[in-house]
Amino acid sequence: ILANDEGGVRTLTLNRPEKLNAFNDAQFDALAEAILEAGKDNTVKVVVLTGAGRAFSAGADLTGRAGANIKYGFPGCVDIILDFEKPLLVAVNGLGVGIGATIVGLADSAFMAEGARLRCPFSALGLTAEACSTYTFPLLMGRQKASWFLLAAEWLSAQECADAGLVAAVLPDEGFLAAVQAKAATLAALPVSSLRQTKALIMAPHREQMRAAAKAENEGLASLRGGPANVEAVTAFGEKRQPDFSNLS
């Protein structure tokens, strides 16, 4: 994770461009630590999260999930973001898949570059959704649009995401990060006490429901991971063919 401070705005950049910023356990731990540090640093008023290179995040790095020294991992990272008291802006600079899409629902405001797009591939992997998205996406998009997005594993363009209410706005590819940082600077010019209190009031009716959704999603993922549909999806990917779920219940 790269960190850059300017005028009360801390920009955190997922920095594994060669892996399309896919998350392994080390990346989840690094992001969790970075969010905690931003929360404690009195010079930081707003955090912007973005990705290096052409992707925001390609989701979970399946080649590097298991680690012997995991401090927070995926569940802990989500918990820490839920408890973050300052404004968090997500700047989706390129493709976002899996957690690279569902993390948008944890943002106070999210913005997408014109050429960016999002996908929640969980059904196609024989899995279920995560990062509170079964709660946050219906809240933002409405139940039917959110259901289709989470169930169908189809891509949504930046404009489709904005039209559905999943992100606040679409900004030009050229100068995208600077434009989001300018929006963050608008917030950073205001009293941090006001920002924190208003965010607390906005989050108050939702935080426990989001935590409950995350817990249920993690249990669902655990029950499906390694099951017949998940095995077929992973096998088909390795064999470079379309998965066949026709004989699975």
Side-chain angles (χ1 to χ4, degrees):
I1 304 288
L2 301 178
N4 178 69
D5 290 352
E6 185 172 348
V9 177
R10 177 164 294 176
T11 301
L12 300 177
T13 304
L14 304 174
N15 190 36
R16 302 181 75 216
E18 74 287 353
K19 295 287 188 179
L20 301 181
N21 302 319
F23 278 88
N24 56 15
D25 289 317
Q27 183 92 319
F28 281 122
D29 278 2
L31 179 58
E33 293 281 10
I35 295 291
L36 287 172
E37 177 59 30
K40 291 183 290 186
D41 190 332
N42 292 332
T43 68
V44 177
K45 292 186 173 184
V46 184
V47 168
V48 173
L49 177 65
T50 193
R54 64 188 181 91
F56 173 56
S57 174
D61 182 353
L62 300 180
T63 66
R65 289 180 63 88
N69 299 304
I70 305 168
K71 188 173 183 181
Y72 303 104
F74 165 69
C77 186
V78 170
D79 275 343
I80 285 165
I81 293 173
L82 282 178
D83 288 333
F84 186 56
E85 296 179 347
K86 301 173 185 178
L88 172 66
L89 309 186
V90 169
V92 182
N93 56 293
L95 68 86
V97 179
I99 185 63
T102 55
I103 201 170
V104 167
L106 302 179
D108 296 298
S109 287
F111 302 90
M112 289 180 71
E114 284 177 322
R117 53 189 183 142
L118 299 179
R119 182 180 183 232
C120 292
F122 309 110
S123 297
L125 296 173
L127 298 172
T128 192
E130 30 85 313
C132 313
S133 58
T134 57
Y135 179 82
T136 58
F137 280 20
L139 193 67
L140 293 166
M141 305 172 75
R143 185 178 64 83
Q144 292 196 18
K145 288 181 180 178
S147 294
W148 187 261
F149 188 36
L150 291 172
L151 291 171
E154 293 181 346
W155 288 97
L156 282 187
S157 69
Q159 193 58 55
E160 287 171 326
C161 288
D163 291 344
L166 187 58
V167 299
V170 177
L171 301 172
D173 291 333
E174 186 173 351
F176 170 70
L177 180 57
V180 178
Q181 289 170 326
K183 290 184 176 294
T186 298
L187 298 181
L190 303 171
V192 70
S193 57
S194 297
L195 299 176
R196 291 166 71 119
Q197 185 61 62
T198 301
K199 175 169 177 172
L201 291 168
I202 291 170
M203 286 292 292
H206 304 293
R207 184 175 279 109
E208 290 312 309
Q209 289 94 324
M210 291 168 72
R211 210 177 294 283
K215 181 176 183 292
E217 290 163 356
N218 291 339
E219 290 171 352
L221 284 165
S223 70
L224 290 171
R225 190 174 289 120
N230 182 226
V231 169
E232 167 60 14
V234 172
T235 301
F237 178 80
E239 296 176 352
K240 296 181 172 56
R241 61 173 175 81
Q242 289 296 313
D244 180 6
F245 300 125
S246 61
N247 294 321
L248 302 178
S249 58

